[in-house]
Amino acid sequence: MAQRVTGWVGWIWFAGIVMFIAGTWNFFYGLAAVLGPDKGYVAANGKLLILNINGWGWAHLIFGIVLAIVGLVVLSGAAWARILAILLVALNLITQFIWLPVQPWWSLLVIVLDFFVIWALIVHGDEAERV
């Protein structure tokens, strides 16, 4: 007996689109870091975060490309893409805790979005294969 697809599969579309947007955003952040001046630090709210801007830029550039591509493949319902997406989004969620002291509101927003993407991929992912 064939299982029925419900409207909850829309959460997979949500997850894929959010991943694509986040990947594109990360790509442009990385591109700006690679092409921009090598400042070496970020200061906000009285906190100072020292980092390698060039390395940070290349990491975001590559991570953004991978995240955007996997986000698009998630829309097809491929099981391997959902598993990889959960791992990538979990990594993104964890890294937001590094930026929490520097950009608290942005980091909290990304953490919440990542949580919903992971939830959608885990809870409603199998339904995407049947579309």
Side-chain angles (χ1 to χ4, degrees):
M1 179 175 170
Q3 292 181 326
R4 183 172 76 86
V5 175
T6 66
W8 287 102
V9 78
W11 277 100
I12 298 301
W13 280 83
F14 168 80
I17 291 169
V18 167
M19 286 180 62
F20 178 76
I21 292 169
T24 304
W25 195 262
N26 278 336
F27 171 79
F28 283 115
Y29 261 140
L31 191 62
V34 169
L35 298 178
D38 192 15
K39 229 163 97 172
Y41 65 90
V42 176
N45 298 330
K47 308 266 194 253
L48 180 65
L49 182 63
I50 300 171
L51 49 99
N52 179 346
I53 296 292
N54 199 23
W56 178 87
W58 280 108
H60 271 72
L61 195 80
I62 294 166
F63 185 74
I65 291 169
V66 172
L67 191 64
I69 291 170
V70 171
L72 291 175
V73 178
V74 161
L75 298 176
S76 73
W80 67 267
R82 284 194 327 271
I83 293 167
L84 183 57
I86 291 168
L87 294 173
L88 291 173
V89 174
L91 177 65
N92 191 48
L93 188 146
I94 291 167
T95 59
Q96 288 305 311
F97 285 101
I98 296 170
W99 291 102
L100 202 53
V102 179
Q103 295 179 324
W105 293 110
W106 180 254
S107 293
L108 286 174
L109 174 69
V110 173
I111 288 168
V112 169
L113 272 175
D114 286 346
F115 171 79
F116 278 111
V117 168
I118 291 170
W119 172 79
L121 291 167
I122 291 171
V123 174
H124 302 294
D126 64 333
E127 202 170 331
E129 290 183 60
R130 297 189 300 250
V131 175

